[in-house]
Amino acid sequence: MRLQQQNKLQQRQLPKLVMNQKMQQSIQMLKFNASELNEYLTQVELENPFIKVSNQHVGVSSAKDQVDLWSFVPDKKTQSLFDYLMDQVNLTMRKTILRDWVVYFIQHLDQNGYLKLDTAKLVSEGKLDQTTLDDALTLLWRLDPPGVGARDLRECLLLQLENEGDRTDFAYQIVCNDFDDLVQHAWEKIAQKYALTLAEVDDILTQIKNLSAAPGKAYDQTEISYIAPDLVVTKKEDRYVVEPTKLLCPQITFRKEYYDSLVGSLDQTVVKYLQEKKKQYATLLAELEARQNTVARVGQEIVSRQHEFFANKEHPLRPLLLRDIAQKLQLHESTISRAVNGKYLQSDFGIFELRSFFSHVVSYTKTGEAIGVEPIYTRLRQIVATENKQKPLSDQKIAMQLAHDGLKVSRRTVAKYREKLNIPASSQRKRF
C-alpha cells in the first residue's frame, strides 16, 4: 500500500518536473544575447536535421522599413581591432568549432584587446572543455597584434615576449615568475635572484617597458558600431514605436519534405526519433516567439517611460527601476533583467543597451522632483573639467558644489561616481 502511494505521488510530481524543465529552457532563451542565441540555434541546427536556421537578414521585421546592419557603421580611416582580427581569422582558419570559439572570444575583447570573459567559468559550466579552451586561446594569441586576447597584464606581456624571443629570456622569466616584485620595483631582489647587476636589470626593464600594456589601443575603437540592435525605435506622430529586428526574431523553418520522406518508416526507433525532432521544432518556435514578445514589450515600455530621452536633444534619463517595468507588464523582475541585459535598441542617434535606461533615484530637487544618476554624472564631469588644475577640488568640495546646484549627494557617493567615470582623485588631477 505504501509503495502504491509513493508511485501515485511520483506520477503527480512528474508533470511539474517537466514544466520546470520547459521553464528553465525558456528562461535561458530570454537570457541569451544575440551572439549566444545565434550559437545556440547553430547547435540546435546541427543536432536536429529537420530545423533550418536563417540569419541572413538583420533588417527591421516590418516590410516597410528594412535596415541593413552595416549601415550603422560610420566611414572610418582606421581599421577597427575587430575587423583586423576577423580578416586574419578568415584568411588563416578553416570553419571548425575552434574557429567559432576564437570568433566568440574576439567579440568579447575590450578596447585594449583584453579578453573580458571568465574562461574558467565557461569550462566549469560545461560550455567547452579545457582542451578546446586552450587550443582556441592559442589560436587567438597567434593573431596580430601580439598580446591580444590576454586576460590580464602579466599574460599580455608574456605573450609579447614569447613573440619576440624564447622562454629562457630573462625578461620572460622575470615577468612569468617575479611579476609582483616587478610591480613593486624590487630591483635588488630580482638582480640577486638571477645573479644580474642593477645595470643589466635596468636593460631588461627597458625591454619590458617597450611592450604594450594595451595592444588594442592602436586600432579604431568604435565598438558600438558593431552591435547589431534587437529593436529599432521610430517616431510615429507624437509617440515612439519599437519594432523588433530580424536579430530578435531569426527565421526558423522545418524541413517538411525531408521529414515526410521518412514518416512512412516502420522502424519504431525512427518513428520515435521523428516525433521528438518535430516536437523540438515546435517548442523552439514557441520559445523564440515568447522571447521576441517579451523583449519587444519591455523595450516599448522603456521607450514610453523614457520619452524625453528620445525627444529632447539633451537626452535626459528619468529614474526607472526594473520593478517599475515588471509591475506594469505583470512580469517578474528577474524576467525584466534577462530581457534587457545584452539586448540593444537602435535610435536615430545611436545604439543603446536596454539596461542603460534604468537608474535609481539618487537625489531630489528643491521642488521634490526625483533625480537619476545621469544628471549628476554630467554635472560632476563639468565641475572637474572647469576646476583650477593647480588646486583641484576634493570630493567633499564637489559634493558641496553639487548641493549648491540642487543635487544633494554625500562625499562617499561623489567618490564612487568619480571612480565609475574614471576621474582620478584630486591629488592625481593636480597640475603644476
Side-chain angles (χ1 to χ4, degrees):
M1 178 65 72
R2 187 176 180 181
L3 182 59
Q4 290 176 346
Q5 289 175 341
Q6 288 178 342
N7 288 337
K8 288 180 180 179
L9 180 61
Q10 290 174 352
Q11 289 171 1
R12 286 197 300 270
Q13 289 178 333
L14 185 58
K16 186 176 181 180
L17 176 63
V18 173
M19 175 66 76
N20 286 339
Q21 289 173 342
K22 289 182 179 179
M23 287 173 62
Q24 287 295 325
Q25 192 161 330
S26 295
I27 287 172
Q28 188 61 44
M29 184 80 73
L30 182 60
K31 191 176 180 181
F32 285 147
N33 61 28
S35 175
E36 291 167 341
L37 178 63
N38 183 59
E39 289 173 10
Y40 173 72
L41 293 177
T42 299
Q43 187 61 39
V44 170
E45 188 177 24
L46 291 173
E47 296 172 355
N48 191 328
F50 306 106
I51 291 179
K52 181 179 180 181
V53 180
S54 176
N55 281 312
Q56 295 178 351
H57 303 289
V58 194
V60 176
S61 57
S62 168
K64 176 184 175 183
D65 186 17
Q66 293 292 323
V67 179
D68 182 9
L69 164 65
W70 299 109
S71 66
F72 302 148
V73 183
D75 292 332
K76 301 184 293 293
K77 294 180 181 179
T78 309
Q79 188 179 33
S80 73
L81 177 64
F82 176 84
D83 279 345
Y84 182 55
L85 294 173
M86 285 305 300
D87 283 349
Q88 296 175 67
V89 168
N90 292 331
L91 288 172
T92 61
M93 299 182 193
R94 295 180 294 107
K95 180 65 177 175
T96 63
I97 292 296
L98 282 179
R99 180 188 182 278
D100 291 342
W101 277 109
V102 172
V103 172
Y104 180 72
F105 291 154
I106 289 173
Q107 292 171 335
H108 287 81
L109 298 178
D110 69 8
Q111 62 180 8
N112 295 319
Y114 285 86
L115 180 59
K116 291 302 181 181
L117 279 177
D118 187 343
T119 52
K121 187 176 180 181
L122 290 176
V123 174
S124 65
E125 291 180 346
K127 293 185 178 179
L128 78 169
D129 55 53
Q130 187 64 48
T131 300
T132 301
L133 172 64
D134 293 340
D135 291 344
L137 286 176
T138 298
L139 291 175
L140 175 63
W141 292 338
R142 288 176 182 171
L143 300 177
D144 188 68
V148 74
R151 291 162 289 186
D152 54 46
L153 176 60
R154 175 176 169 275
E155 194 168 65
C156 181
L157 298 177
L158 288 174
L159 290 171
Q160 293 174 71
L161 289 168
E162 279 187 33
N163 185 68
E164 288 185 357
D166 58 50
R167 297 190 178 191
T168 61
D169 187 84
F170 277 127
Y172 184 93
Q173 292 296 317
I174 291 170
V175 173
C176 183
N177 302 317
D178 308 278
F179 189 71
D180 289 340
D181 290 336
L182 184 66
V183 172
Q184 297 298 324
H185 297 178
W187 314 138
E188 292 183 356
K189 183 178 180 181
I190 292 173
Q192 184 177 3
K193 177 177 179 179
Y194 292 94
L196 299 170
T197 65
L198 288 177
E200 289 173 329
V201 171
D202 188 62
D203 289 339
I204 294 169
L205 292 177
T206 300
Q207 179 186 354
I208 295 173
K209 288 177 182 178
N210 286 333
L211 302 175
S212 174
K217 272 290 188 182
Y219 299 85
D220 185 55
Q221 301 298 335
T222 51
E223 293 180 45
I224 195 70
S225 301
Y226 296 95
I227 296 173
D230 303 87
L231 302 168
V232 174
V233 60
T234 54
K235 188 174 183 180
K236 294 185 178 180
E237 297 180 351
D238 293 331
R239 61 190 296 263
Y240 290 91
V241 178
V242 170
E243 295 179 282
T245 66
K246 293 293 185 184
L247 191 69
L248 185 60
C249 40
Q251 299 298 309
I252 309 294
T253 54
F254 190 71
R255 300 176 187 267
K256 190 174 183 303
E257 291 185 6
Y258 180 38
Y259 179 85
D260 290 343
S261 68
L262 299 173
V263 167
S265 173
L266 296 178
D267 190 322
Q268 289 303 307
T269 303
V270 175
V271 171
K272 184 178 179 181
Y273 173 81
L274 293 174
Q275 291 173 343
E276 288 176 351
K277 296 305 177 184
K278 189 172 184 178
K279 184 178 179 181
Q280 183 185 27
Y281 166 75
T283 301
L284 180 64
L285 207 58
E287 289 172 348
L288 284 172
E289 184 178 355
R291 179 181 186 272
Q292 173 191 340
N293 290 338
T294 300
V295 175
R297 287 178 65 205
V298 171
Q300 183 62 67
E301 185 61 25
I302 289 173
V303 170
S304 298
R305 298 281 187 118
Q306 300 288 9
H307 181 274
E308 284 301 306
F309 178 85
F310 300 95
N312 192 319
K313 290 183 179 180
E314 298 298 322
H315 308 305
L317 278 176
R318 61 178 294 192
L320 182 64
L321 302 176
L322 292 175
R323 68 166 174 263
D324 297 332
I325 304 297
Q327 290 172 357
K328 175 68 175 180
L329 301 181
Q330 296 185 336
L331 296 170
H332 197 276
E333 280 186 46
S334 62
T335 300
I336 305 300
S337 179
R338 296 185 190 100
V340 301
N341 197 37
K343 317 300 189 305
Y344 291 84
L345 179 144
Q346 165 74 20
S347 72
D348 58 1
F349 53 88
I351 301 177
F352 304 91
E353 187 177 12
L354 292 182
R355 182 173 288 279
S356 67
F357 291 101
F358 292 86
S359 63
H360 288 274
V361 175
V362 296
S363 185
Y364 292 89
T365 64
K366 294 177 181 179
T367 60
E369 180 186 357
I371 298 293
V373 71
E374 288 300 328
I376 298 177
Y377 283 169
T378 300
R379 185 64 186 123
L380 198 160
R381 290 192 190 98
Q382 292 171 348
I383 291 172
V384 172
T386 57
E387 70 182 357
N388 183 342
K389 300 305 178 185
Q390 293 181 333
K391 295 181 179 179
L393 299 173
S394 65
D395 292 338
Q396 182 61 45
K397 289 183 177 180
I398 293 175
M400 293 169 63
Q401 182 64 60
L402 289 170
H404 182 267
D405 297 337
L407 303 171
K408 189 175 181 180
V409 293
S410 68
R411 179 193 61 79
R412 287 187 179 182
T413 301
V414 169
K416 182 177 72 173
Y417 289 171
R418 176 176 53 72
E419 291 172 2
K420 188 174 181 66
L421 295 171
N422 294 319
I423 297 174
S426 58
S427 60
Q428 297 173 303
R429 301 199 306 272
K430 190 171 184 178
R431 298 289 183 267
F432 297 95

